[in-house]
Amino acid sequence: MLIAILENNAKNSAPQSVNYCVTDFCRTPVRLQICSLQFTLSSTAFFALFSGLAIVEDEKIEKLLRAAMAAPSAGNQQPWEFYVVTNSETLQRLAKTSPYAGCTATAPLAFVVCTKKECRMPEYAQIDVSAAIENLLLEADGLGLGAVWLGIAPLTERMDAVRDVLQLPEELDAFAIVPCGCPAQERVQ
């Protein structure tokens, strides 16, 4: 089950655009079939153009998050938090945090992937989070979705811009934005 962090009510001073912040699910075994993974890796084209008409269902969002959190991490520290952003105004603001994030404005959702500053092995945190993002991208492809990894870290001005948009707590650093949605067109590699 997804953990809601922000309620859409007047009492909350945080932006009303972040629907979920997820830190952990019960870890479930993930089976990969070599032939299907090989096909996925050779046929995957990460999309930056999204069909604005289609939304991504909560079930698919949960599958994406579960895949991301099934990634290996050093000492099983899992130094990540995932924000799922669906509010169009916030997606527009995230699109301005990097010169390469424009496609976020047309996506129905974006995952903002953060690293925890305090973890047992901080020297491995970015590697761990990178593995989680790769799992998310592969799962998106498997679900027929398009997604693209937009690097935010280690550029301080981009990290700070994302922090300002989402009002991230001090103990987190923005690492990447992953816009996701139904691709506007099929691309063959």
Side-chain angles (χ1 to χ4, degrees):
M1 173 160 218
L2 298 176
I3 303 167
I5 63 159
L6 297 178
E7 301 295 328
N8 287 330
N9 60 38
K11 294 185 290 186
N12 196 335
S13 62
Q16 296 182 355
S17 57
V18 180
N19 295 73
Y20 311 106
C21 171
V22 181
T23 57
D24 196 19
F25 279 117
C26 296
R27 296 189 75 117
T28 56
V30 177
R31 288 190 209 146
L32 298 176
Q33 296 176 1
I34 298 301
C35 60
S36 64
L37 179 61
Q38 197 170 31
F39 174 76
T40 298
L41 290 174
S42 65
S43 66
T44 298
F46 298 114
F47 294 87
L49 296 173
F50 302 101
S51 170
L53 304 174
I55 62 166
V56 178
E57 300 87 356
D58 286 345
E59 296 79 22
K60 287 184 179 179
I61 294 170
E62 184 174 341
K63 286 181 180 183
L64 291 163
L65 290 167
R66 284 186 183 277
M69 288 183 274
S73 72
N76 198 28
Q77 67 178 343
Q78 302 176 19
W80 47 61
E81 286 203 22
F82 299 86
Y83 286 78
V84 178
V85 182
T86 58
N87 178 277
S88 60
E89 290 175 16
T90 305
L91 290 166
Q92 295 282 331
R93 291 178 61 205
L94 285 172
K96 296 174 184 171
T97 60
S98 163
Y100 309 104
C103 62
T104 306
T106 60
L109 73 94
F111 296 92
V112 177
V113 186
C114 300
T115 56
K116 296 177 185 176
K117 290 181 181 178
E118 297 295 322
C119 56
R120 287 181 289 136
M121 294 179 263
E123 63 274 18
Y124 295 106
Q126 289 191 349
I127 297 168
D128 294 347
V129 173
S130 296
I133 293 170
E134 184 66 21
N135 277 12
L136 191 149
L137 293 171
L138 290 169
E139 183 70 14
D141 184 67
L143 293 172
L145 299 171
V148 63
W149 179 343
L150 305 172
I152 297 300
L155 301 176
T156 307
E157 66 276 3
R158 293 181 191 172
M159 294 167 69
D160 290 344
V162 172
R163 177 181 304 287
D164 291 343
V165 170
L166 297 182
Q167 298 179 358
L168 294 175
E170 269 308 306
E171 62 269 14
L172 298 177
D173 281 329
F175 181 75
I177 300 171
V178 182
C180 183
C182 297
Q185 62 189 21
E186 179 139 348
R187 263 181 42 186
V188 178
Q189 272 192 333

